[in-house]
Amino acid sequence: NAGVTQTPKFQVLKTGQSMTLQCAQDMNHNSMYWYRQDPGMGLRLIYYSASEGTTDKGEVPNGYNVSRLNKREFSLRLESAAPSQTSVYFCASSQGGKRGYEQYFGPGTRLTVT
Amino acid sequence: AQRVTQPEKLLSVFKGAPVELKCNYSYSGSPELFWYVQYSRQRLQLLLRHISRESIKGFTADLNKGETSFHLKKPFAQEEDSAMYYCASTRGSQGNLIFGKGTKLSVKP
């Protein structure tokens, strides 16, 4: 089991460029999440998908879009990157439901926007 | 709004000293509480969940509903415990987790 995988590991963008961060899980989990991690701010939820076919905004959704492509895959898109989106992005998944709150994290994508 | 508070950004102790990382939550219901650990430039890993009542790597955490706290403790810190520690709580009946801002633990030799 690979668990949660993310691509790419590193990315440098110029302001205004677009890109998609990919995430996949092989644990047959129902729920998937995208977070950003910034110094002193901890982890902040960008978007989540409670189940295949649904997506919802988290704390900091502005400037991002997501797609739950199927049960395994959940992508995060930056349409027009801004320096404020320089961060480390983590994808996570969980079983969901009353006994499935534990989240499993991917290795992260380190994004720099210049 | 629900909050998870970790009052210390940085905690520095010497090897062999006791460690307590504080966590307070604001949800008045019955949340599930977790501690996650992140070693340098690695992914977050689950360390403890309160419903398991287990000890992992010598760490324990007790849920105190009266004080709405879930402090992480270890009697004798080791250098390999140096990492970022995040406390997290379930958000009401949703499956989402709310994370604290984290405490960086530094264990000196």
Side-chain angles (χ1 to χ4, degrees), chain A residues 2 4 10 33 35 37 40-43 45 48 59 90 98-99 101-107 110, chain B residues 9 32 34 36 38 41-44 46 49 86 90-97 99-102:
Chain A
V4 180
F10 302 94
Y33 312 84
Y35 294 90
Q37 183 183 43
M41 301 298 290
L43 283 165
L45 183 65
Y48 67 99
E59 301 171 64
F90 286 99
K98 288 190 175 181
R99 293 188 177 183
Y101 295 127
E102 176 183 340
Q103 293 186 14
Y104 296 80
F105 284 80
R110 196 168 289 270
Chain B
K9 285 186 178 180
E32 276 196 52
F34 303 86
Y36 281 83
Q38 185 182 28
R41 297 205 166 215
Q42 293 187 24
R43 72 181 74 197
L44 277 80
L46 180 68
R49 57 190 306 178
Y86 290 97
T90 50
R91 187 193 302 266
S93 60
Q94 299 176 24
N96 299 347
L97 296 180
F99 285 84
K101 293 186 177 182

Side-chain angles (χ1 to χ4, degrees), chain A residues 4-76:
Chain A
V4 180
T5 58
Q6 291 182 236
T7 55
K9 290 188 177 179
F10 302 94
Q11 185 71 49
V12 178
L13 290 178
K14 293 185 177 179
T15 298
Q17 287 185 320
S18 62
M19 79 161 296
T20 300
L21 282 66
Q22 306 287 353
C23 174
Q25 52 92 7
D26 62 2
M27 295 174 282
N28 200 34
H29 283 168
N30 293 310
S31 304
M32 298 185 73
Y33 312 84
W34 276 106
Y35 294 90
R36 59 178 291 172
Q37 183 183 43
D38 302 290
M41 301 298 290
L43 283 165
R44 292 181 292 171
L45 183 65
I46 305 171
Y47 270 93
Y48 67 99
S49 171
S51 61
E52 187 179 356
T54 68
T55 61
D56 283 289
K57 295 179 180 179
E59 301 171 64
V60 289
N62 291 345
Y64 306 95
N65 284 301
V66 290
S67 295
R68 182 76 182 265
L69 304 170
N70 48 54
K71 192 170 186 179
R72 288 188 65 248
E73 298 171 289
F74 188 40
S75 63
L76 178 71

